[in-house]
Amino acid sequence: TMELKGINYPAMDILDILLEADILHISNEIPFAQGCPYPNPGQKNLRFCSDTRYIKLMETIGTDVVELTGDHFGDWGEAAMLNSLDMYRERAWPYFGGGENIDDSRSVVKIEHNGNKLAFLGCNAKQGAHTAASESGPGAADCKGDWMQEEVRNLKSGGYLPVVTFQHNEYYTYEAQPDQRKDFGEIARAGAVIVSGSQAHQPQGMEFVDNAFVHYGLGNLFFDQYDVSPAARSALIDRHIFYDGRFISTQLLTAVFVDYARPRAMNNAERNELLKAVFSASGW
């Protein structure tokens, strides 16, 4: 669709929403590969790459921070992963949750903005479903061990507001599942102020854990699951608001896909239906 209708076509109806953010966080699973073939909508093997021209979409929406915890970051091999990292660096976009080796993948993005000290970090919690970074090779940060809990505690004691994201197991349910609750809860109790799931292909529920806002899944932003289910056609965009060194609220922005590529803002009836489902799944 991007080839036929333009690289920025997916963002045309939600661009204003995304550009309003002071800091726009984007989870991008797909590597930019030199020589990426023309997209085949009928492919069965779910092995993905993006033409390097497609980074224009990320530029257009005002990307500020890139998350790389995704399962598909390693789909096109090391060269594509390293090429993607170079492209992010060229645009001065800090990245987290993936990198050129283990240390780089575990690095924290620290941003000070209007007196607020934010720290972004994340990892992939799936067993064997992703290319994990090694001592000498690129990939996603693996959640194994307690390195992230220790990092969050250190960041919190240093005056930062930790924002933690997971690429977790995927469930086509509004309700969070036990393994999600366990892992998200542990990192919230370690001191994160936001814990967010980047893996979900449909919106999932949310809760507060030790004053942290925990959102188990937002759904797709730009992905072609129009016919998977009605729930997969809907999505949430979380607008987190920080003031005077504190996390004070989250605004839930709602979207629905009109085709395989393009979401738009929901109307009131659509929004009410989605939020009722999500709040019910949250026990609210």
Side-chain angles (χ1 to χ4, degrees):
T1 301
M2 292 168 70
E3 289 289 341
L4 297 173
K5 297 187 177 182
I7 290 173
N8 289 328
Y9 173 81
M12 61 183 296
D13 290 334
I14 60 169
L15 182 58
D16 290 347
I17 292 173
L18 300 177
L19 290 177
E20 284 176 357
D22 291 314
I23 302 171
L24 181 67
H25 153 256
I26 293 291
S27 173
N28 184 33
E29 292 203 32
I30 313 304
F32 293 98
Q34 300 285 354
C36 179
Y38 191 86
N40 172 17
Q43 70 157 309
K44 303 298 183 183
N45 62 4
L46 299 182
R47 180 171 176 256
F48 301 131
C49 67
S50 287
D51 189 286
T52 55
R53 296 178 297 117
Y54 292 1
I55 203 167
K56 178 64 177 176
L57 178 61
M58 295 179 68
E59 294 173 339
T60 297
I61 63 177
T63 299
D64 294 297
V65 180
V66 182
E67 176 186 347
L68 298 173
T69 62
D71 301 346
H72 297 281
F73 182 44
D75 275 8
W76 227 252
E78 288 195 3
M81 286 188 280
L82 295 173
N83 180 64
S84 301
L85 298 178
D86 286 341
M87 292 175 69
Y88 297 142
R89 293 187 190 108
E90 288 170 4
R91 290 157 178 81
W93 293 343
Y95 58 82
F96 70 94
E100 59 189 22
N101 52 47
I102 287 179
D103 289 341
D104 193 34
S105 73
R106 294 180 176 181
S107 62
V108 178
V109 172
K110 297 178 179 179
I111 298 177
E112 295 194 30
H113 185 273
N114 287 345
N116 300 296
K117 296 171 65 177
L118 304 177
F120 295 84
L121 65 162
C123 64
N124 190 308
K126 298 177 183 177
Q127 300 299 313
H130 62 284
T131 300
S134 66
E135 293 290 344
S136 59
D142 200 294
C143 291
K144 292 177 182 176
D146 57 2
W147 66 271
M148 197 157 65
Q149 289 91 328
E150 293 178 4
E151 189 70 73
V152 166
R153 284 190 284 266
N154 290 335
L155 290 165
K156 194 69 176 290
S157 65
Y160 281 90
L161 299 168
V163 178
V164 178
T165 63
F166 279 102
Q167 187 80 200
H168 212 279
N169 293 314
E170 297 168 11
Y171 299 101
Y172 287 85
T173 61
Y174 289 111
E175 296 82 6
Q177 300 303 302
D179 57 339
Q180 294 177 312
R181 291 183 179 275
K182 174 183 178 294
D183 291 345
F184 285 55
E186 285 179 356
I187 209 70
R189 286 185 284 273
V193 295
I194 305 289
V195 187
S196 188
S198 299
Q199 79 292 328
H201 293 296
Q202 71 159 73
Q204 288 189 281
M206 58 201 81
E207 64 179 312
F208 293 97
V209 177
D210 284 5
N211 295 319
F213 177 67
V214 177
H215 196 167
Y216 293 100
L218 280 68
N220 297 316
L221 183 66
F222 305 129
F223 197 55
D224 58 350
Q225 291 192 309
Y226 185 75
D227 286 336
V228 169
S229 70
R233 292 186 185 183
S234 61
L236 292 167
I237 300 171
D238 286 356
R239 177 182 287 160
H240 303 301
I241 300 170
F242 302 88
Y243 181 76
D244 196 24
R246 296 181 299 124
F247 163 60
I248 61 172
S249 68
T250 293
Q251 183 180 6
L252 301 176
L253 308 175
T254 52
V256 62
F257 279 80
V258 301
D259 58 22
Y260 286 95
R262 191 177 103 233
R264 62 160 172 80
M266 284 184 167
N267 61 38
N268 287 337
E270 293 165 335
R271 176 177 172 84
N272 288 340
E273 183 178 354
L274 174 60
L275 292 183
K276 283 180 181 178
V278 171
F279 290 169
S280 176
S282 306
W284 294 358

